[in-house]
Amino acid sequence: MLEQQLSVENTARFEQLWSITKELRQKLDARFELRLNESTKDLQNYSAQVGAAHGSLNTFSGAEIDWLVHSWMREPISGFCNMHLTVWLGSQIRVPHLAFAFATVPNLFFYMDYVSRSDLLTDLDYLDRYYEPANERYLTFLKDDRFQQYHSKTLYIRQVQSQTSLCYTSQITDETIATLRSTAHEMIDRWLGWVDEAEPVPESERAALAQRDLIVRRAIAERDPDNKIAVKLFGEYMTDKLVRSLWGDN
């Protein structure tokens, strides 16, 4: 989609989407104690050696959160932007991780999901507790003709998405942005409630859960097909650095 698009002025839409991520961050900051990771401090402002592309990537950790990413990148001439707010919890609880990704290509793209930490085929209590509450919203989007469901061509990316993930494209309008904002807040509010109510994971199981989390986090970052866009905008060296920062190779 990026290769096919013409020059588009999307600054206002970028600012709208970024403001949504900041609203969500405020709710996280109110609930968790977070510290900025020094290992990614040099990526708070980065830019392409050639061209207008630039971005910002910040990562945080805390007693309850293993890795949090809040980032954006833009190529303002084409109107392309991409931003992430992802929260990878520590192994003290088994609540799903939280993932938001918004983009303009130049149409709106978004992905919102609870990333599972258990086998949903066999752990039926986990499925009912964390995914049944999101199922009605998933079905609502299927019936909304303003949004077109997006299916990745990459097998792993489809594999990691839950069956209630919201992955769509649409025209960018005030209505679709408003729907995106309200749905994102609904998802994070539900998730924060789960965190507050979660039972602790037994100490004997935490190391295995942490290892699984890291494998998933790394695979998502490294197998993202859109890394090719970053290579075109920023080159292989910077893209490798960004990808390693997304999963916490510090």
Side-chain angles (χ1 to χ4, degrees):
M1 288 185 285
L2 179 63
E3 291 176 347
Q4 296 172 356
Q5 71 187 49
L6 301 175
S7 179
V8 175
E9 172 50 52
N10 255 0
T11 299
R13 294 308 189 184
F14 163 79
E15 292 176 350
Q16 280 184 303
L17 293 175
W18 184 242
S19 72
I20 296 174
T21 73
K22 291 193 291 186
E23 292 168 13
L24 301 174
R25 259 292 304 280
Q26 288 176 352
K27 291 186 173 182
L28 296 173
D29 290 340
R31 170 58 182 78
F32 301 100
E33 292 186 9
L34 297 167
R35 63 180 183 277
L36 182 68
N37 289 307
E38 294 295 321
S39 63
T40 56
K41 195 171 182 179
D42 62 335
L43 293 174
Q44 288 182 332
N45 293 285
Y46 63 88
S47 59
Q49 292 185 342
V50 178
H54 60 292
S56 174
L57 186 149
N58 289 283
T59 63
F60 303 84
S61 298
E64 298 176 85
I65 291 178
D66 189 52
W67 201 251
L68 185 153
V69 177
H70 193 197
S71 67
W72 60 265
M73 65 170 59
R74 292 188 67 199
E75 205 294 299
I77 296 175
S78 66
F80 167 76
C81 75
N82 181 32
M83 59 194 70
H84 292 266
L85 179 62
T86 53
V87 187
W88 299 89
L89 288 163
S91 60
Q92 73 282 348
I93 58 175
R94 206 182 295 270
V95 172
H97 305 301
L98 183 64
F100 296 106
F102 309 144
T104 59
V105 288
N107 287 341
L108 178 64
F109 167 88
F110 60 86
Y111 165 65
M112 299 186 278
D113 201 5
Y114 303 124
V115 181
S116 177
R117 304 170 78 187
S118 188
D119 180 0
L120 299 183
L121 295 179
T122 59
D123 192 344
L124 302 186
D125 290 339
Y126 195 90
L127 176 73
D128 292 342
R129 181 171 184 175
Y130 296 125
Y131 293 92
E132 188 60 43
N135 194 45
E136 188 60 37
R137 177 61 62 191
Y138 172 84
L139 296 175
T140 298
F141 267 88
L142 287 180
K143 295 182 290 186
D144 192 330
D145 59 11
R146 296 174 301 169
F147 301 97
Q148 295 77 51
Q149 195 168 29
Y150 181 80
H151 301 279
S152 175
K153 295 182 176 65
T154 302
L155 175 60
Y156 185 79
I157 297 302
R158 297 199 309 272
Q159 174 69 22
V160 81
Q161 291 177 239
S162 80
Q163 291 300 308
T164 59
S165 68
L166 302 176
C167 191
Y168 283 87
T169 61
S170 76
Q171 296 295 315
I172 304 179
T173 67
D174 291 340
E175 285 187 352
T176 57
I177 294 291
T179 299
L180 170 62
R181 172 181 275 110
S182 64
T183 303
H185 278 281
E186 174 188 312
M187 290 187 65
I188 197 171
D189 290 346
R190 182 189 296 122
W191 180 83
L192 288 169
W194 291 338
V195 171
D196 288 340
E197 298 166 0
E199 301 85 6
V201 172
E203 289 283 354
S204 60
E205 299 176 13
R206 294 186 183 185
L209 180 58
Q211 182 180 33
R212 180 189 184 277
D213 287 341
L214 185 59
I215 291 171
V216 173
R217 191 164 82 212
R218 179 174 183 174
I220 290 173
E222 293 184 341
R223 291 176 177 242
D224 187 341
D226 287 343
N227 291 341
K228 292 182 290 186
I229 296 176
V231 170
K232 290 183 179 180
L233 295 177
F234 298 102
E236 291 188 3
Y237 175 80
M238 177 58 75
T239 298
D240 178 68
K241 189 172 184 178
L242 290 168
V243 169
R244 286 189 287 107
S245 297
L246 288 175
W247 65 268
D249 181 20
N250 59 341

